Amino acid sequence: MTAANLTARRAGPLKGVVRAPGDKSISHRALILGALASGVTEIEGLLEGDDVKRTAAAMAAFGAGVERLGSSEHGGGKWRVEGRGGFSEPADVVDCGNAGTGVRLIMGAAAGFDMAVTFTGDQSLRGRPMNRVLKPLGQMGATWICRQGGRLPLTLKGGNLRKIAYTLPEPSAQVKSAVLLAGLHAEGGAEVIEPEATRDHTERMLRGFGAEIEVRELGAGRHVILPGGQTLRGTKIHVPGDPSSAAFPLVAALVTPGSEVTVQGMLLNPLRIGLLETLGDMGADISVTNVRDEGGETVADVTARHSELEGVEVPPERAPSMIDEYPILAVAAAFASGRTVMRGIGEMRVKESDRIALMAAGLAACGIGVEEEPETLTVVGAKRGNHLVAGGAGVTTHGDHRIAMSHLILGMAAEAPVSVDEPGMIATSFPGFVAMMRGLGAEIGEAVDA
Ligand code: S3P
């Protein structure tokens, strides 16, 4: 079989001003809540990545009117969702592609209705645990048929749900959101207790759709209370720039000598800025300007300049606020001096791939010292005297977009080029990644690999 790999090689400084694509978490939620609501929801700046397009198609299959109206002024799409105040049974299997967020949130939403729906996804998604969502939905009264040990494909049967008070066993905004979406149509609603706070876009957006929801601080965590039997009303949503995508051009600037890159309109939700805090601890030259409120979320323009980074111990309690950013943090750590220790990141192993294992393998192949433990990744920064990051490897991504983008960034500043396989998967979250990086001065080319 022949596949076109992508190769990044060292080039001049990266310079420019860009806009991150729309936030993936918020884009999924905007479509799902829009479809559950009564009336019209208009979405500006929707991320048009493959994951979100799957959710848009799923919402149409559940009976919502879903239409792309055109391109938004600042990138992304302008979409219109006409919700029918609930879901009707789809005629076919719902295929969520690569999207864990998509399938888990949609399962939660669908569980509120008296219907049977079969869910599936691509090979990566079929390997990921769904029990974490099925368990609370089962306690609410949903049932399912699944012959794959809690993995897709599975058929979920919902309706007549009862109230739940659920303490999250793992810090997962997807599970929290699935329970809350099911709770909308449960007798008595739903309560979720999260010992560690996770991204709160569902809570914020439910409010935007007119729902009553209470959030109480609970030490480092939160107690979310959603009364049942609520009707959502269509609204307008402006999707801010995704900090998990912005992380790639920002870290590229930090590790490439002479660079200065600004990402405009980046979401600065306090539960999503763990990477910025960590890079700051490492001595990164990052400035945040033009802080403003857009549709209930804080956004700003963020500028990163090439910096001499130092390794740090990342506080484990920071993990939920940067769980998708550890792969690119590991790349920043490779160019630092000293060791960067990332503890309490076991959740990384159940993402689109086992990201601890793949980052450890990829960095080692590029000449970086790494230590891998079940819940910890340690990167030994290459910057000792004249010692540089070697690169020069072909990296297996297992179809994981963030593993691919992270290693391409590494290749932009390493001594020898770095290639990644399955680069098409980058489009699940960041369709314009290669064009954006080239526009900033990066050299990324296709190599046909037999
Ligand atoms: C997401 C939550 C996180 C994150 C994912 C998006 C969300 O997953 O990794 O990319 O939108 O709720 P978990 O909830 O499994 O931690």
Side-chain angles (χ1 to χ4, degrees), residues 21-24 26-32 43-49 52-53 55-56 66-68 70-72 75-81 237-240 431:
D23 188 74
K24 183 154 71 77
I26 293 179
S27 294
H28 281 298
R29 286 160 172 81
L31 291 166
I32 296 168
I43 311 170
E44 282 282 0
L46 188 84
L47 169 67
E48 293 180 322
V52 175
K53 287 196 217 156
T55 291
V66 181
E67 195 188 346
R68 183 181 196 273
S71 298
S72 287
K78 189 175 160 78
W79 288 64
R80 180 181 189 276
V81 180
I237 293 175
H238 190 106
V239 181

PDB file of all heavy atoms in Angstrom, residues 21-24 26-32 43-49 52-53 55-56 66-68 70-72 75-81 237-240 431:
ATOM      1  N   PRO A  21      -8.209  27.486  14.717  1.00  0.00           N
ATOM      2  CA  PRO A  21      -9.541  27.026  14.329  1.00  0.00           C
ATOM      3  C   PRO A  21     -10.477  26.985  15.534  1.00  0.00           C
ATOM      4  O   PRO A  21     -10.023  26.999  16.676  1.00  0.00           O
ATOM      5  CB  PRO A  21      -9.280  25.610  13.794  1.00  0.00           C
ATOM      6  CG  PRO A  21      -7.985  25.198  14.383  1.00  0.00           C
ATOM      7  CD  PRO A  21      -7.185  26.447  14.626  1.00  0.00           C
ATOM      8  N   GLY A  22     -11.763  26.934  15.264  1.00  0.00           N
ATOM      9  CA  GLY A  22     -12.763  26.951  16.335  1.00  0.00           C
ATOM     10  C   GLY A  22     -12.561  25.808  17.320  1.00  0.00           C
ATOM     11  O   GLY A  22     -12.086  24.722  16.960  1.00  0.00           O
ATOM     12  N   ASP A  23     -12.932  26.053  18.557  1.00  0.00           N
ATOM     13  CA  ASP A  23     -12.738  25.057  19.611  1.00  0.00           C
ATOM     14  C   ASP A  23     -13.580  23.807  19.327  1.00  0.00           C
ATOM     15  O   ASP A  23     -14.788  23.896  19.080  1.00  0.00           O
ATOM     16  CB  ASP A  23     -13.135  25.665  20.963  1.00  0.00           C
ATOM     17  CG  ASP A  23     -12.773  24.749  22.094  1.00  0.00           C
ATOM     18  OD1 ASP A  23     -11.587  24.654  22.414  1.00  0.00           O
ATOM     19  OD2 ASP A  23     -13.689  24.094  22.643  1.00  0.00           O
ATOM     20  N   LYS A  24     -12.908  22.657  19.411  1.00  0.00           N
ATOM     21  CA  LYS A  24     -13.581  21.390  19.068  1.00  0.00           C
ATOM     22  C   LYS A  24     -14.649  21.054  20.107  1.00  0.00           C
ATOM     23  O   LYS A  24     -15.762  20.670  19.753  1.00  0.00           O
ATOM     24  CB  LYS A  24     -12.521  20.284  18.984  1.00  0.00           C
ATOM     25  CG  LYS A  24     -13.058  18.922  18.576  1.00  0.00           C
ATOM     26  CD  LYS A  24     -11.995  18.079  17.902  1.00  0.00           C
ATOM     27  CE  LYS A  24     -10.916  17.573  18.831  1.00  0.00           C
ATOM     28  NZ  LYS A  24     -11.322  16.437  19.665  1.00  0.00           N
ATOM     29  N   ILE A  26     -16.358  23.012  22.063  1.00  0.00           N
ATOM     30  CA  ILE A  26     -17.505  23.922  21.983  1.00  0.00           C
ATOM     31  C   ILE A  26     -18.288  23.664  20.691  1.00  0.00           C
ATOM     32  O   ILE A  26     -19.526  23.724  20.674  1.00  0.00           O
ATOM     33  CB  ILE A  26     -17.018  25.383  22.102  1.00  0.00           C
ATOM     34  CG1 ILE A  26     -16.475  25.600  23.528  1.00  0.00           C
ATOM     35  CG2 ILE A  26     -18.121  26.386  21.765  1.00  0.00           C
ATOM     36  CD1 ILE A  26     -15.926  26.987  23.810  1.00  0.00           C
ATOM     37  N   SER A  27     -17.590  23.317  19.615  1.00  0.00           N
ATOM     38  CA  SER A  27     -18.287  23.054  18.340  1.00  0.00           C
ATOM     39  C   SER A  27     -19.219  21.851  18.452  1.00  0.00           C
ATOM     40  O   SER A  27     -20.376  21.901  18.015  1.00  0.00           O
ATOM     41  CB  SER A  27     -17.260  22.830  17.227  1.00  0.00           C
ATOM     42  OG  SER A  27     -16.529  24.020  16.991  1.00  0.00           O
ATOM     43  N   HIS A  28     -18.720  20.745  19.047  1.00  0.00           N
ATOM     44  CA  HIS A  28     -19.599  19.571  19.229  1.00  0.00           C
ATOM     45  C   HIS A  28     -20.834  19.961  20.042  1.00  0.00           C
ATOM     46  O   HIS A  28     -21.968  19.617  19.704  1.00  0.00           O
ATOM     47  CB  HIS A  28     -18.871  18.482  20.023  1.00  0.00           C
ATOM     48  CG  HIS A  28     -17.890  17.662  19.249  1.00  0.00           C
ATOM     49  ND1 HIS A  28     -18.242  16.866  18.184  1.00  0.00           N
ATOM     50  CD2 HIS A  28     -16.558  17.470  19.414  1.00  0.00           C
ATOM     51  CE1 HIS A  28     -17.166  16.223  17.733  1.00  0.00           C
ATOM     52  NE2 HIS A  28     -16.135  16.582  18.454  1.00  0.00           N
ATOM     53  N   ARG A  29     -20.581  20.657  21.150  1.00  0.00           N
ATOM     54  CA  ARG A  29     -21.684  20.993  22.061  1.00  0.00           C
ATOM     55  C   ARG A  29     -22.700  21.920  21.409  1.00  0.00           C
ATOM     56  O   ARG A  29     -23.906  21.809  21.644  1.00  0.00           O
ATOM     57  CB  ARG A  29     -21.117  21.624  23.342  1.00  0.00           C
ATOM     58  CG  ARG A  29     -20.435  20.603  24.261  1.00  0.00           C
ATOM     59  CD  ARG A  29     -19.489  21.279  25.222  1.00  0.00           C
ATOM     60  NE  ARG A  29     -18.950  20.386  26.246  1.00  0.00           N
ATOM     61  CZ  ARG A  29     -17.926  19.557  26.078  1.00  0.00           C
ATOM     62  NH1 ARG A  29     -17.332  19.468  24.891  1.00  0.00           N
ATOM     63  NH2 ARG A  29     -17.493  18.799  27.068  1.00  0.00           N
ATOM     64  N   ALA A  30     -22.210  22.868  20.587  1.00  0.00           N
ATOM     65  CA  ALA A  30     -23.131  23.813  19.940  1.00  0.00           C
ATOM     66  C   ALA A  30     -24.108  23.058  19.042  1.00  0.00           C
ATOM     67  O   ALA A  30     -25.317  23.339  19.028  1.00  0.00           O
ATOM     68  CB  ALA A  30     -22.336  24.832  19.131  1.00  0.00           C
ATOM     69  N   LEU A  31     -23.593  22.080  18.297  1.00  0.00           N
ATOM     70  CA  LEU A  31     -24.471  21.312  17.404  1.00  0.00           C
ATOM     71  C   LEU A  31     -25.452  20.442  18.193  1.00  0.00           C
ATOM     72  O   LEU A  31     -26.643  20.364  17.864  1.00  0.00           O
ATOM     73  CB  LEU A  31     -23.622  20.418  16.487  1.00  0.00           C
ATOM     74  CG  LEU A  31     -22.784  21.150  15.437  1.00  0.00           C
ATOM     75  CD1 LEU A  31     -21.740  20.218  14.832  1.00  0.00           C
ATOM     76  CD2 LEU A  31     -23.678  21.720  14.330  1.00  0.00           C
ATOM     77  N   ILE A  32     -24.949  19.805  19.252  1.00  0.00           N
ATOM     78  CA  ILE A  32     -25.801  18.869  20.003  1.00  0.00           C
ATOM     79  C   ILE A  32     -26.887  19.639  20.767  1.00  0.00           C
ATOM     80  O   ILE A  32     -28.075  19.277  20.712  1.00  0.00           O
ATOM     81  CB  ILE A  32     -24.946  18.004  20.963  1.00  0.00           C
ATOM     82  CG1 ILE A  32     -23.988  17.121  20.148  1.00  0.00           C
ATOM     83  CG2 ILE A  32     -25.836  17.140  21.860  1.00  0.00           C
ATOM     84  CD1 ILE A  32     -22.903  16.439  20.967  1.00  0.00           C
ATOM     85  N   ILE A  43     -24.610  29.323  14.557  1.00  0.00           N
ATOM     86  CA  ILE A  43     -23.251  29.115  15.077  1.00  0.00           C
ATOM     87  C   ILE A  43     -22.255  29.790  14.136  1.00  0.00           C
ATOM     88  O   ILE A  43     -22.248  29.516  12.935  1.00  0.00           O
ATOM     89  CB  ILE A  43     -22.924  27.603  15.179  1.00  0.00           C
ATOM     90  CG1 ILE A  43     -24.049  26.846  15.898  1.00  0.00           C
ATOM     91  CG2 ILE A  43     -21.598  27.396  15.891  1.00  0.00           C
ATOM     92  CD1 ILE A  43     -23.940  25.331  15.830  1.00  0.00           C
ATOM     93  N   GLU A  44     -21.436  30.663  14.703  1.00  0.00           N
ATOM     94  CA  GLU A  44     -20.361  31.343  13.947  1.00  0.00           C
ATOM     95  C   GLU A  44     -19.033  30.722  14.321  1.00  0.00           C
ATOM     96  O   GLU A  44     -18.761  30.502  15.500  1.00  0.00           O
ATOM     97  CB  GLU A  44     -20.296  32.826  14.339  1.00  0.00           C
ATOM     98  CG  GLU A  44     -21.345  33.700  13.729  1.00  0.00           C
ATOM     99  CD  GLU A  44     -21.063  34.061  12.270  1.00  0.00           C
ATOM    100  OE1 GLU A  44     -20.037  33.632  11.718  1.00  0.00           O
ATOM    101  OE2 GLU A  44     -21.919  34.774  11.707  1.00  0.00           O
ATOM    102  N   GLY A  45     -18.191  30.456  13.337  1.00  0.00           N
ATOM    103  CA  GLY A  45     -16.832  29.980  13.617  1.00  0.00           C
ATOM    104  C   GLY A  45     -16.775  28.515  13.995  1.00  0.00           C
ATOM    105  O   GLY A  45     -15.835  28.082  14.671  1.00  0.00           O
ATOM    106  N   LEU A  46     -17.757  27.739  13.556  1.00  0.00           N
ATOM    107  CA  LEU A  46     -17.748  26.299  13.881  1.00  0.00           C
ATOM    108  C   LEU A  46     -16.498  25.660  13.295  1.00  0.00           C
ATOM    109  O   LEU A  46     -16.135  25.910  12.132  1.00  0.00           O
ATOM    110  CB  LEU A  46     -18.990  25.623  13.291  1.00  0.00           C
ATOM    111  CG  LEU A  46     -19.174  24.165  13.734  1.00  0.00           C
ATOM    112  CD1 LEU A  46     -19.879  24.109  15.087  1.00  0.00           C
ATOM    113  CD2 LEU A  46     -19.964  23.361  12.705  1.00  0.00           C
ATOM    114  N   LEU A  47     -15.839  24.821  14.068  1.00  0.00           N
ATOM    115  CA  LEU A  47     -14.707  24.044  13.563  1.00  0.00           C
ATOM    116  C   LEU A  47     -15.227  23.064  12.516  1.00  0.00           C
ATOM    117  O   LEU A  47     -16.113  22.258  12.812  1.00  0.00           O
ATOM    118  CB  LEU A  47     -14.048  23.274  14.709  1.00  0.00           C
ATOM    119  CG  LEU A  47     -13.025  22.215  14.275  1.00  0.00           C
ATOM    120  CD1 LEU A  47     -11.799  22.859  13.633  1.00  0.00           C
ATOM    121  CD2 LEU A  47     -12.616  21.344  15.448  1.00  0.00           C
ATOM    122  N   GLU A  48     -14.670  23.137  11.306  1.00  0.00           N
ATOM    123  CA  GLU A  48     -15.142  22.215  10.268  1.00  0.00           C
ATOM    124  C   GLU A  48     -14.155  21.068  10.082  1.00  0.00           C
ATOM    125  O   GLU A  48     -13.752  20.722   8.969  1.00  0.00           O
ATOM    126  CB  GLU A  48     -15.436  22.993   8.984  1.00  0.00           C
ATOM    127  CG  GLU A  48     -16.630  23.930   9.216  1.00  0.00           C
ATOM    128  CD  GLU A  48     -17.018  24.754   8.016  1.00  0.00           C
ATOM    129  OE1 GLU A  48     -16.123  25.209   7.281  1.00  0.00           O
ATOM    130  OE2 GLU A  48     -18.242  24.953   7.814  1.00  0.00           O
ATOM    131  N   GLY A  49     -13.750  20.501  11.204  1.00  0.00           N
ATOM    132  CA  GLY A  49     -12.905  19.309  11.196  1.00  0.00           C
ATOM    133  C   GLY A  49     -13.783  18.076  11.036  1.00  0.00           C
ATOM    134  O   GLY A  49     -15.002  18.129  11.229  1.00  0.00           O
ATOM    135  N   VAL A  52     -16.185  17.076  14.007  1.00  0.00           N
ATOM    136  CA  VAL A  52     -17.378  17.916  14.196  1.00  0.00           C
ATOM    137  C   VAL A  52     -18.367  17.694  13.047  1.00  0.00           C
ATOM    138  O   VAL A  52     -19.590  17.686  13.255  1.00  0.00           O
ATOM    139  CB  VAL A  52     -16.965  19.397  14.319  1.00  0.00           C
ATOM    140  CG1 VAL A  52     -18.188  20.303  14.388  1.00  0.00           C
ATOM    141  CG2 VAL A  52     -16.086  19.595  15.559  1.00  0.00           C
ATOM    142  N   LYS A  53     -17.851  17.445  11.849  1.00  0.00           N
ATOM    143  CA  LYS A  53     -18.768  17.173  10.723  1.00  0.00           C
ATOM    144  C   LYS A  53     -19.564  15.892  10.979  1.00  0.00           C
ATOM    145  O   LYS A  53     -20.724  15.776  10.588  1.00  0.00           O
ATOM    146  CB  LYS A  53     -17.975  17.060   9.429  1.00  0.00           C
ATOM    147  CG  LYS A  53     -17.463  18.406   8.918  1.00  0.00           C
ATOM    148  CD  LYS A  53     -17.048  18.254   7.469  1.00  0.00           C
ATOM    149  CE  LYS A  53     -15.843  19.056   7.130  1.00  0.00           C
ATOM    150  NZ  LYS A  53     -15.092  18.586   5.994  1.00  0.00           N
ATOM    151  N   THR A  55     -20.524  14.919  13.921  1.00  0.00           N
ATOM    152  CA  THR A  55     -21.580  15.288  14.873  1.00  0.00           C
ATOM    153  C   THR A  55     -22.703  16.031  14.152  1.00  0.00           C
ATOM    154  O   THR A  55     -23.890  15.804  14.431  1.00  0.00           O
ATOM    155  CB  THR A  55     -20.986  16.122  16.030  1.00  0.00           C
ATOM    156  OG1 THR A  55     -20.162  15.247  16.808  1.00  0.00           O
ATOM    157  CG2 THR A  55     -22.047  16.725  16.931  1.00  0.00           C
ATOM    158  N   ALA A  56     -22.336  16.878  13.185  1.00  0.00           N
ATOM    159  CA  ALA A  56     -23.371  17.598  12.423  1.00  0.00           C
ATOM    160  C   ALA A  56     -24.256  16.592  11.682  1.00  0.00           C
ATOM    161  O   ALA A  56     -25.495  16.694  11.703  1.00  0.00           O
ATOM    162  CB  ALA A  56     -22.713  18.561  11.443  1.00  0.00           C
ATOM    163  N   VAL A  66     -30.026  20.763   9.840  1.00  0.00           N
ATOM    164  CA  VAL A  66     -28.636  21.207   9.987  1.00  0.00           C
ATOM    165  C   VAL A  66     -28.161  21.701   8.632  1.00  0.00           C
ATOM    166  O   VAL A  66     -28.195  20.970   7.645  1.00  0.00           O
ATOM    167  CB  VAL A  66     -27.731  20.037  10.474  1.00  0.00           C
ATOM    168  CG1 VAL A  66     -26.286  20.512  10.638  1.00  0.00           C
ATOM    169  CG2 VAL A  66     -28.248  19.456  11.781  1.00  0.00           C
ATOM    170  N   GLU A  67     -27.713  22.967   8.600  1.00  0.00           N
ATOM    171  CA  GLU A  67     -27.383  23.575   7.321  1.00  0.00           C
ATOM    172  C   GLU A  67     -26.127  24.429   7.451  1.00  0.00           C
ATOM    173  O   GLU A  67     -25.995  25.186   8.416  1.00  0.00           O
ATOM    174  CB  GLU A  67     -28.561  24.479   6.929  1.00  0.00           C
ATOM    175  CG  GLU A  67     -28.589  24.909   5.511  1.00  0.00           C
ATOM    176  CD  GLU A  67     -29.701  25.957   5.282  1.00  0.00           C
ATOM    177  OE1 GLU A  67     -30.586  26.122   6.171  1.00  0.00           O
ATOM    178  OE2 GLU A  67     -29.655  26.614   4.256  1.00  0.00           O
ATOM    179  N   ARG A  68     -25.230  24.299   6.481  1.00  0.00           N
ATOM    180  CA  ARG A  68     -24.054  25.196   6.452  1.00  0.00           C
ATOM    181  C   ARG A  68     -24.442  26.424   5.640  1.00  0.00           C
ATOM    182  O   ARG A  68     -24.822  26.307   4.474  1.00  0.00           O
ATOM    183  CB  ARG A  68     -22.865  24.503   5.800  1.00  0.00           C
ATOM    184  CG  ARG A  68     -21.624  25.360   5.803  1.00  0.00           C
ATOM    185  CD  ARG A  68     -20.438  24.667   5.136  1.00  0.00           C
ATOM    186  NE  ARG A  68     -19.196  25.347   5.477  1.00  0.00           N
ATOM    187  CZ  ARG A  68     -18.707  26.392   4.808  1.00  0.00           C
ATOM    188  NH1 ARG A  68     -19.345  26.854   3.756  1.00  0.00           N
ATOM    189  NH2 ARG A  68     -17.589  26.965   5.189  1.00  0.00           N
ATOM    190  N   GLY A  70     -22.370  29.150   5.186  1.00  0.00           N
ATOM    191  CA  GLY A  70     -21.214  29.738   4.503  1.00  0.00           C
ATOM    192  C   GLY A  70     -20.028  29.800   5.435  1.00  0.00           C
ATOM    193  O   GLY A  70     -20.016  29.121   6.475  1.00  0.00           O
ATOM    194  N   SER A  71     -19.044  30.622   5.051  1.00  0.00           N
ATOM    195  CA  SER A  71     -17.845  30.748   5.888  1.00  0.00           C
ATOM    196  C   SER A  71     -18.025  31.920   6.840  1.00  0.00           C
ATOM    197  O   SER A  71     -18.624  32.929   6.487  1.00  0.00           O
ATOM    198  CB  SER A  71     -16.618  31.009   5.017  1.00  0.00           C
ATOM    199  OG  SER A  71     -16.437  29.916   4.156  1.00  0.00           O
ATOM    200  N   SER A  72     -17.447  31.805   8.034  1.00  0.00           N
ATOM    201  CA  SER A  72     -17.492  32.910   8.989  1.00  0.00           C
ATOM    202  C   SER A  72     -16.360  33.874   8.686  1.00  0.00           C
ATOM    203  O   SER A  72     -15.322  33.483   8.157  1.00  0.00           O
ATOM    204  CB  SER A  72     -17.340  32.388  10.418  1.00  0.00           C
ATOM    205  OG  SER A  72     -18.516  31.735  10.810  1.00  0.00           O
ATOM    206  N   GLY A  75     -12.930  32.822   9.958  1.00  0.00           N
ATOM    207  CA  GLY A  75     -12.601  31.415   9.754  1.00  0.00           C
ATOM    208  C   GLY A  75     -13.657  30.509  10.351  1.00  0.00           C
ATOM    209  O   GLY A  75     -14.498  30.934  11.143  1.00  0.00           O
ATOM    210  N   GLY A  76     -13.621  29.238   9.945  1.00  0.00           N
ATOM    211  CA  GLY A  76     -14.643  28.293  10.396  1.00  0.00           C
ATOM    212  C   GLY A  76     -15.931  28.527   9.626  1.00  0.00           C
ATOM    213  O   GLY A  76     -15.990  29.331   8.693  1.00  0.00           O
ATOM    214  N   GLY A  77     -16.965  27.840  10.018  1.00  0.00           N
ATOM    215  CA  GLY A  77     -18.216  27.893   9.262  1.00  0.00           C
ATOM    216  C   GLY A  77     -19.320  28.610  10.005  1.00  0.00           C
ATOM    217  O   GLY A  77     -19.318  28.711  11.238  1.00  0.00           O
ATOM    218  N   LYS A  78     -20.280  29.092   9.197  1.00  0.00           N
ATOM    219  CA  LYS A  78     -21.499  29.670   9.771  1.00  0.00           C
ATOM    220  C   LYS A  78     -22.570  28.602   9.551  1.00  0.00           C
ATOM    221  O   LYS A  78     -22.825  28.217   8.390  1.00  0.00           O
ATOM    222  CB  LYS A  78     -21.824  30.944   9.005  1.00  0.00           C
ATOM    223  CG  LYS A  78     -22.914  31.789   9.596  1.00  0.00           C
ATOM    224  CD  LYS A  78     -22.998  33.079   8.766  1.00  0.00           C
ATOM    225  CE  LYS A  78     -24.309  33.776   8.922  1.00  0.00           C
ATOM    226  NZ  LYS A  78     -24.489  34.530  10.104  1.00  0.00           N
ATOM    227  N   TRP A  79     -23.127  28.094  10.613  1.00  0.00           N
ATOM    228  CA  TRP A  79     -24.089  26.993  10.523  1.00  0.00           C
ATOM    229  C   TRP A  79     -25.398  27.372  11.212  1.00  0.00           C
ATOM    230  O   TRP A  79     -25.419  28.195  12.127  1.00  0.00           O
ATOM    231  CB  TRP A  79     -23.516  25.730  11.183  1.00  0.00           C
ATOM    232  CG  TRP A  79     -22.401  25.087  10.391  1.00  0.00           C
ATOM    233  CD1 TRP A  79     -21.181  25.636  10.103  1.00  0.00           C
ATOM    234  CD2 TRP A  79     -22.408  23.790   9.791  1.00  0.00           C
ATOM    235  NE1 TRP A  79     -20.437  24.759   9.360  1.00  0.00           N
ATOM    236  CE2 TRP A  79     -21.150  23.616   9.155  1.00  0.00           C
ATOM    237  CE3 TRP A  79     -23.338  22.741   9.730  1.00  0.00           C
ATOM    238  CZ2 TRP A  79     -20.820  22.443   8.468  1.00  0.00           C
ATOM    239  CZ3 TRP A  79     -23.006  21.570   9.053  1.00  0.00           C
ATOM    240  CH2 TRP A  79     -21.768  21.439   8.424  1.00  0.00           C
ATOM    241  N   ARG A  80     -26.465  26.727  10.726  1.00  0.00           N
ATOM    242  CA  ARG A  80     -27.793  26.935  11.302  1.00  0.00           C
ATOM    243  C   ARG A  80     -28.334  25.570  11.702  1.00  0.00           C
ATOM    244  O   ARG A  80     -28.312  24.636  10.887  1.00  0.00           O
ATOM    245  CB  ARG A  80     -28.677  27.557  10.224  1.00  0.00           C
ATOM    246  CG  ARG A  80     -30.096  27.849  10.639  1.00  0.00           C
ATOM    247  CD  ARG A  80     -30.833  28.440   9.431  1.00  0.00           C
ATOM    248  NE  ARG A  80     -32.136  28.930   9.810  1.00  0.00           N
ATOM    249  CZ  ARG A  80     -33.220  28.182   9.899  1.00  0.00           C
ATOM    250  NH1 ARG A  80     -33.155  26.890   9.625  1.00  0.00           N
ATOM    251  NH2 ARG A  80     -34.373  28.719  10.261  1.00  0.00           N
ATOM    252  N   VAL A  81     -28.763  25.468  12.950  1.00  0.00           N
ATOM    253  CA  VAL A  81     -29.354  24.206  13.421  1.00  0.00           C
ATOM    254  C   VAL A  81     -30.777  24.493  13.853  1.00  0.00           C
ATOM    255  O   VAL A  81     -31.009  25.381  14.678  1.00  0.00           O
ATOM    256  CB  VAL A  81     -28.559  23.626  14.614  1.00  0.00           C
ATOM    257  CG1 VAL A  81     -29.178  22.319  15.105  1.00  0.00           C
ATOM    258  CG2 VAL A  81     -27.099  23.405  14.240  1.00  0.00           C
ATOM    259  N   ILE A 237     -24.318  31.309  18.893  1.00  0.00           N
ATOM    260  CA  ILE A 237     -23.060  30.902  19.512  1.00  0.00           C
ATOM    261  C   ILE A 237     -21.895  31.352  18.652  1.00  0.00           C
ATOM    262  O   ILE A 237     -21.910  31.176  17.421  1.00  0.00           O
ATOM    263  CB  ILE A 237     -23.010  29.364  19.702  1.00  0.00           C
ATOM    264  CG1 ILE A 237     -24.054  28.979  20.740  1.00  0.00           C
ATOM    265  CG2 ILE A 237     -21.626  28.894  20.144  1.00  0.00           C
ATOM    266  CD1 ILE A 237     -24.195  27.518  20.947  1.00  0.00           C
ATOM    267  N   HIS A 238     -20.890  31.907  19.319  1.00  0.00           N
ATOM    268  CA  HIS A 238     -19.666  32.306  18.637  1.00  0.00           C
ATOM    269  C   HIS A 238     -18.578  31.382  19.165  1.00  0.00           C
ATOM    270  O   HIS A 238     -18.262  31.419  20.344  1.00  0.00           O
ATOM    271  CB  HIS A 238     -19.366  33.764  18.992  1.00  0.00           C
ATOM    272  CG  HIS A 238     -18.282  34.340  18.174  1.00  0.00           C
ATOM    273  ND1 HIS A 238     -18.506  35.241  17.178  1.00  0.00           N
ATOM    274  CD2 HIS A 238     -16.955  34.103  18.171  1.00  0.00           C
ATOM    275  CE1 HIS A 238     -17.372  35.542  16.595  1.00  0.00           C
ATOM    276  NE2 HIS A 238     -16.410  34.868  17.186  1.00  0.00           N
ATOM    277  N   VAL A 239     -18.004  30.543  18.308  1.00  0.00           N
ATOM    278  CA  VAL A 239     -17.027  29.544  18.778  1.00  0.00           C
ATOM    279  C   VAL A 239     -15.636  30.188  18.841  1.00  0.00           C
ATOM    280  O   VAL A 239     -15.124  30.654  17.824  1.00  0.00           O
ATOM    281  CB  VAL A 239     -16.988  28.318  17.839  1.00  0.00           C
ATOM    282  CG1 VAL A 239     -15.998  27.282  18.364  1.00  0.00           C
ATOM    283  CG2 VAL A 239     -18.379  27.703  17.691  1.00  0.00           C
ATOM    284  N   PRO A 240     -15.027  30.227  20.032  1.00  0.00           N
ATOM    285  CA  PRO A 240     -13.685  30.835  20.129  1.00  0.00           C
ATOM    286  C   PRO A 240     -12.601  29.901  19.589  1.00  0.00           C
ATOM    287  O   PRO A 240     -12.853  28.720  19.327  1.00  0.00           O
ATOM    288  CB  PRO A 240     -13.513  31.039  21.642  1.00  0.00           C
ATOM    289  CG  PRO A 240     -14.455  30.098  22.284  1.00  0.00           C
ATOM    290  CD  PRO A 240     -15.539  29.744  21.313  1.00  0.00           C
ATOM    291  N   PRO A 431      -7.998  21.185  10.339  1.00  0.00           N
ATOM    292  CA  PRO A 431      -7.886  20.968   8.890  1.00  0.00           C
ATOM    293  C   PRO A 431      -6.859  21.890   8.216  1.00  0.00           C
ATOM    294  O   PRO A 431      -6.227  21.496   7.259  1.00  0.00           O
ATOM    295  CB  PRO A 431      -9.294  21.264   8.367  1.00  0.00           C
ATOM    296  CG  PRO A 431     -10.183  21.341   9.547  1.00  0.00           C
ATOM    297  CD  PRO A 431      -9.351  21.546  10.773  1.00  0.00           C
TER     298      PRO A 431
END
